[in-house]
Amino acid sequence: MAAVTFKDVYKQFEGMGYPALDHVNIEIAEGEFVTILGSSGCGKTTFIKMINRLYEPDGGEILLFGKQIRDKDPVQLRRRIGYVIQQVGLFPHMTVGENIATIPHILKWDKERINAQVDAMLLLVDLEPQEFKNRYPAQLSGGQQQRIGLARALICDPRIMLLDEPFGAIDAITRENLQNELKRIHTESKKTYIFVTHDIREALKLGTKIMIMNQGQILQYGTPEEVLAHPADGFVEELIQTSGVSESLLKDGDGI
């Protein structure tokens, strides 16, 4: 089944010289880890914000697991989609455990279930529950905060995760560790992940498929091997050349 389908989706923001999404057509299979790559303003963030209805299209249709998202209540839709951003957005007055349990509390899960799932999510992102559950966001490093944001997004077991440059403001070593954790979690879950990045090495390392965008259009969609071996046009080719990556770096996903 297709997890996400865009049919001739169009979006124009006032003051932009070109559409944010220019009649986009794509089908993303369930279970893929799609990384979206392109320069600033190319439409990457607009694409994922269309999926959880933070932005509405000016034309076209968007389907999630075969069903029109316009027929869904936006709030209910978002509660069933994991969403992680660079700024994390943890509530400073709430403990780590309370932050992770935000949506389960809204959904009125019982206390025992919430406590068990909070612990499970902390372990999943490699943080010891007894050490971290009662801390506050200000007592965490940037990398730890990002792990909490990921745990909060995962706790309701969403079928799809949207991640908008979640590791963009983190130091290189922590970023690599988080990439490895995220790749492991995706492999174990077999859920659909859509991940926006500016970093081609990150896109190649994480993605089972890569979507390359420019000025609201999808220029290429394929496996990392396909994109490196057969760039769709001059823009994609230049993007690869300026990054300094090559097909040889894709051995087992290591070395990138």
Side-chain angles (χ1 to χ4, degrees):
M1 178 188 290
V4 177
T5 306
F6 275 51
K7 295 182 178 181
D8 200 35
V9 174
Y10 182 85
K11 181 67 178 179
Q12 176 74 56
F13 291 111
E14 188 175 349
M16 279 189 68
Y18 53 85
L21 292 182
D22 191 0
H23 300 283
V24 167
N25 291 279
I26 194 164
E27 190 171 279
I28 295 173
E30 190 168 7
E32 296 282 12
F33 193 133
V34 176
T35 50
I36 309 179
L37 193 63
S39 54
S40 295
C42 71
K44 304 186 299 295
T45 293
T46 301
F47 183 91
I48 65 167
K49 284 187 174 181
M50 290 287 193
I51 296 170
N52 62 5
R53 293 190 66 184
L54 289 174
Y55 293 153
E56 299 287 357
D58 295 325
E61 299 179 336
I62 302 171
L63 285 75
L64 196 60
F65 301 102
K67 297 181 180 179
Q68 294 274 5
I69 64 170
R70 69 181 176 215
D71 298 332
K72 304 289 183 183
D73 175 82
V75 175
Q76 295 297 327
L77 176 74
R78 289 171 200 143
R79 288 176 185 169
R80 288 163 174 77
I81 296 174
Y83 187 47
V84 184
I85 58 175
Q86 186 178 131
Q87 294 81 13
V88 187
L90 299 180
F91 301 112
H93 62 288
M94 293 167 60
T95 66
V96 163
E98 290 167 341
N99 267 283
I100 295 172
T102 301
I103 298 301
H105 278 301
I106 292 171
L107 297 177
K108 300 188 185 304
W109 289 12
D110 64 72
K111 187 175 181 180
E112 190 174 314
R113 182 186 178 191
I114 289 174
N115 288 337
Q117 283 300 104
V118 166
D119 286 357
M121 290 302 102
L122 283 167
L123 291 171
L124 186 67
V125 298
D126 201 28
L127 294 173
E128 175 55 46
Q130 296 310 311
E131 183 180 350
F132 288 94
K133 189 162 55 174
N134 295 314
R135 291 190 188 183
Y136 287 87
Q139 297 172 305
L140 305 174
S141 69
Q144 288 167 344
Q145 289 185 27
Q146 202 64 59
R147 287 174 187 265
I148 301 306
L150 185 58
R152 183 174 62 183
L154 288 165
I155 193 167
C156 290
D157 196 26
R159 293 176 71 185
I160 184 166
M161 287 280 291
L162 308 177
L163 304 104
D164 192 357
E165 298 197 66
F167 308 148
I170 296 172
D171 65 89
I173 294 174
T174 304
R175 182 173 183 150
E176 184 173 357
N177 290 336
L178 286 171
Q179 288 169 352
N180 293 337
E181 286 296 318
L182 187 62
K183 193 170 183 177
R184 174 186 62 80
I185 292 167
H186 172 261
T187 300
E188 292 175 0
S189 73
K190 298 180 171 59
K191 302 296 174 64
T192 307
Y193 283 29
I194 303 177
F195 185 107
V196 168
T197 182
H198 276 95
D199 186 339
I200 189 169
R201 289 174 176 264
E202 183 169 69
L204 291 166
K205 176 176 181 173
L206 295 176
T208 59
K209 294 282 183 66
I210 297 178
M211 181 192 305
I212 298 178
M213 298 186 68
N214 189 40
Q215 294 193 342
Q217 297 181 337
I218 297 173
L219 303 183
Q220 189 163 2
Y221 181 64
T223 66
E225 292 82 4
E226 289 168 347
V227 170
L228 286 176
H230 307 289
D233 64 7
F235 178 89
V236 178
E237 188 170 11
E238 184 177 356
L239 187 69
I240 293 167
Q241 287 176 350
T242 55
S243 71
V245 300
S246 67
E247 243 182 310
S248 63
L249 292 177
L250 282 176
K251 294 177 183 177
D252 301 320
D254 297 327
I256 292 178

